[in-house]
Amino acid sequence: MQLRRPDPEFTHSPRAQQNFMLALKLALWFVGVLWFIEIADQYLGLGLDRFGLRPRDVPGLIGVATAPFLHGSYEHLFSNTMPLLVSLTALLYLYPNSALRALPMIWIGGGLLAWLIGRSSIHIGASGLVYGMLAYVFVSGMMRQDFRSMAVSLFVWFLYGSMLWGILPIRPKMSWEMHLAGAVLGIIMAVLYRDWDR
């Protein structure tokens, strides 16, 4: 297998560094919003979890948009924070053009799929989004076969490969349906946009 190397004049350029910093800043802002919502919810007792995803319940469709913003506890959000930062930064930096299309599809499509297949419960958390972005970054890197993308794919697998167990129904209080739906949409988007951002 012949790995393509990205142009070093670009990868070491000020523009590439600015692109990386922009991707990181956007990821930090998004995570900051999630922490603000969780702190406000806990401190003010807003009970925002009621806006989570409720499968096959028409009013519960609002959770397609809102569930990734909501978490059951600080521990729940903390467990999603670093994977969110890594996956969103990698997606925005390595695949900026396709990310603008893939990310909304992972978010909405994954939510709709989870709404169709999920158990009768309230599903909340950004982990479905995380699974989708990690799947996208991993599969994209494997398909594109350029050195930088594959290196990030292997790094993601090394850090979060064990999360693969999260798509199986082995923990009753974990929304494996959202994990599975996000991963499926991430893979589909990676295949659809495999020729973008080369």
Side-chain angles (χ1 to χ4, degrees), residues 106-181:
I106 291 169
W107 188 312
I108 303 301
L112 289 172
L113 181 57
W115 185 83
L116 288 172
I117 68 172
R119 291 162 290 169
S120 181
S121 178
I122 295 179
H123 299 255
I124 55 174
S127 51
L129 192 58
V130 168
Y131 272 76
M133 291 189 294
L134 289 176
Y136 186 92
V137 170
F138 179 75
V139 172
S140 290
M142 293 295 112
M143 292 180 69
R144 292 163 197 246
Q145 296 183 0
D146 72 74
F147 183 79
R148 186 173 65 163
S149 296
M150 284 197 74
V152 173
S153 289
L154 295 174
F155 176 70
V156 161
W157 181 259
F158 176 75
L159 286 180
Y160 302 115
S162 63
M163 288 176 63
L164 193 60
W165 294 107
I167 64 172
L168 300 175
I170 54 178
R171 290 174 59 188
K173 293 189 176 181
M174 179 180 71
S175 180
W176 63 270
E177 299 96 330
M178 289 184 76
H179 298 172
L180 177 61

Side-chain angles (χ1 to χ4, degrees), residues 20 23-24 27-28 30-32 34-35 71 74-91 126-127 129-131 133-134 137 155-156 158-160 163:
F20 175 77
L24 179 60
L28 286 168
F30 182 66
V31 169
L34 298 187
W35 274 99
H71 290 80
Y74 293 128
E75 292 80 14
H76 184 200
L77 178 52
F78 184 77
S79 69
N80 280 336
T81 295
M82 191 53 68
L84 263 175
L85 285 174
V86 170
S87 59
L88 187 54
T89 301
L91 178 64
S127 51
L129 192 58
V130 168
Y131 272 76
M133 291 189 294
L134 289 176
V137 170
F155 176 70
V156 161
F158 176 75
L159 286 180
Y160 302 115
M163 288 176 63

